[in-house]
Amino acid sequence: MGRIPSLKNFNAFPHAEDHLLKKTYSGAIVTILGLIVMVTLFAHELTFYLTTYTMHQMSVDLKRGETLPIHINVSFPSLPCEVLSVDAIDMSGKHEVDLHTNIWKLRLDKYGHIIGTEYLSDLVEKEHGTHDHDHGHEHDVEKKPEHTFNEDADKMIKSVKLAMENGEGCRVYGALDVQRVAGNFHISVHGLNIFVANQIFDGSSHVNVSHVIHRLSFGPEYPGIHNPLDDTSRILHDTSGTFKYYIKVVPTEYRYLSKGVLPTNQFSVTEYFVPIRPTDRSWPAVYFLYDLSPITVTIREERRNFLHFITRLCAVLGGTFAMTGMLDRWMYRIIESISSSKPRSGMR
């Protein structure tokens, strides 16, 4: 029993002085303020703990034999759907006609409302190789000029001119899967016979490829992704030319907290515009030229450690409690000093 009194020296919670146990209005106010601060900080720390954050990791891309999904949604307010075609070519020069596609052309009136649809079962329009307008492909097929038009061609010319007079436009919407190699896809009037195109537009300099990119992505979206070409508007006035978007695709894996994995792609882009000159033999178009990065990015969702949360919570609440006690003592002493400084009644 002789050792028991010495244990008092290790008591970290000595009894408070008598004046500190006295209940006052100032103490009640400080207590209420302290409780409000502690509840606020507790809610903040709990939200901070429950909120997930992401970790980024880079490694060499080892994927093989997969396709690259491309989701497009582009409007052409000055070109009817009858003159537009979609074409995709990989780096070997192969037309991607054997891959799965799901592309629609939506006819738009001058107010942007949909007035008709057309499904493209093939990326390359029929007989594409025999009437390509780009001089870079002229070596593909020997072409014989045809200066006469049959009844179908005349009917098409009249139909397109009427649509252009009515301010009709077109939206190209859908998805396509291409080989996982560098390549390009473009939207243009290259599917038209060159003489039909001349009859419609009176030369390449009058082809207005103004467009609005509502969405362009290379795979499904994950939380926080940013597609730099979304909601991009390029409107031409009294000029014509070819738009080229050079895209660097970065393979990406998004790993959810639930261990689910979402394979997708990010990309960066550089834009270039080439005006049409009278001597040019090419026709205006909108090109999307893409290349794949050899590096893949893994984005992993993480949650903060529970022990870290408890440590921060104890520090915040304990610190608030200690500051509240100090404030209570300070206010009590001020009030006491003011009370003692007042002259007592009956004294001179």
Side-chain angles (χ1 to χ4, degrees):
M1 297 296 294
R3 296 181 180 180
I4 294 179
S6 62
L7 293 177
K8 294 181 179 180
N9 297 328
F10 295 96
N11 188 358
F13 306 100
H15 293 289
E17 300 177 10
D18 293 338
H19 73 275
L20 297 177
L21 300 177
K22 184 177 180 181
K23 297 180 178 180
T24 61
Y25 287 106
S26 61
I29 294 174
V30 172
T31 301
I32 293 173
L33 292 176
L35 288 175
I36 293 174
V37 172
M38 284 190 287
V39 170
T40 303
L41 293 178
F42 172 78
H44 177 270
E45 289 298 324
L46 182 61
T47 303
F48 182 73
Y49 167 69
L50 295 177
T51 302
T52 59
Y53 65 98
T54 56
M55 297 288 293
H56 291 69
Q57 180 182 356
M58 293 187 296
S59 59
V60 177
D61 184 21
L62 301 177
K63 294 180 181 178
R64 294 292 182 272
E66 298 184 5
T67 58
L68 179 67
I70 303 177
H71 303 274
I72 59 176
N73 187 352
V74 184
S75 292
F76 291 81
S78 301
L79 292 176
C81 286
E82 288 184 84
V83 301
L84 284 178
S85 63
V86 183
D87 195 358
I89 306 174
D90 65 20
M91 66 181 302
S92 65
K94 174 186 175 184
H95 291 286
E96 304 293 349
V97 297
D98 55 339
L99 297 179
H100 175 71
T101 64
N102 188 20
I103 302 293
W104 293 83
K105 290 197 296 186
L106 311 179
R107 292 176 56 203
L108 307 176
D109 62 15
K110 61 181 179 180
Y111 303 107
H113 302 146
I114 298 174
I115 57 176
T117 61
E118 178 187 352
Y119 180 71
L120 297 183
S121 59
D122 203 349
L123 277 182
V124 184
E125 295 290 321
K126 294 181 180 180
E127 301 179 3
H128 173 86
T130 61
H131 33 65
D132 196 334
H133 294 185
D134 194 337
H135 67 275
H137 300 291
E138 289 177 358
H139 62 275
D140 292 341
V141 179
E142 293 290 337
K143 294 185 292 187
K144 295 181 179 180
E146 296 181 7
H147 299 277
T148 59
F149 304 100
N150 55 30
E151 184 178 348
D152 291 337
D154 290 335
K155 185 182 299 184
M156 179 183 179
I157 293 172
K158 293 178 181 178
S159 174
V160 172
K161 287 187 174 181
L162 179 61
M164 294 176 66
E165 290 176 0
N166 294 332
E168 189 172 313
C170 185
R171 174 177 292 190
V172 180
Y173 173 84
L176 56 127
D177 292 329
V178 298
Q179 296 292 342
R180 199 176 178 82
V181 294
N184 77 79
F185 67 95
H186 56 273
I187 307 172
S188 64
V189 298
H190 294 170
L192 291 175
N193 180 287
I194 189 170
F195 300 107
V196 172
N198 274 314
Q199 287 292 320
I200 294 174
F201 298 105
D202 193 23
S204 60
S205 60
H206 296 95
V207 180
N208 189 342
V209 291
S210 297
H211 59 279
V212 178
I213 303 175
H214 305 285
R215 184 195 177 204
L216 178 69
S217 63
F218 291 81
E221 296 184 352
Y222 61 84
I225 190 173
H226 172 66
N227 296 319
L229 285 179
D230 287 0
D231 300 320
T232 297
S233 179
R234 296 293 179 264
I235 306 300
L236 299 176
H237 300 282
D238 301 325
T239 187
S240 183
T242 295
F243 288 90
K244 294 183 179 181
Y245 297 95
Y246 295 92
I247 298 172
K248 177 65 72 172
V249 179
V250 181
T252 304
E253 282 188 351
Y254 191 89
R255 297 182 178 271
Y256 292 94
L257 199 62
S258 60
K259 306 304 180 182
V261 180
L262 178 66
T264 183
N265 300 277
Q266 305 177 77
F267 70 92
S268 61
V269 62
T270 301
E271 180 182 347
Y272 189 58
F273 175 71
V274 183
I276 288 291
R277 295 172 296 182
T279 57
D280 289 341
R281 299 180 62 185
S282 61
W283 285 66
V286 178
Y287 283 85
F288 299 90
L289 304 98
Y290 55 87
D291 191 10
L292 276 81
S293 169
I295 301 299
T296 184
V297 175
T298 300
I299 305 175
R300 182 181 291 104
E301 287 186 345
E302 298 285 351
R303 180 166 287 171
R304 292 165 180 85
N305 187 275
F306 180 72
L307 292 178
H308 185 232
F309 165 68
I310 293 297
T311 302
R312 288 175 58 97
L313 191 62
C314 291
V316 167
L317 297 184
T320 304
F321 185 80
M323 292 183 63
T324 303
M326 293 176 60
L327 182 61
D328 186 22
R329 293 182 186 181
W330 179 68
M331 292 186 64
Y332 179 80
R333 290 174 182 174
I334 291 178
I335 294 174
E336 285 294 315
S337 62
I338 294 176
S339 300
S340 61
S341 63
K342 290 182 180 180
R344 297 180 181 179
S345 60
M347 296 184 62
R348 298 183 180 179

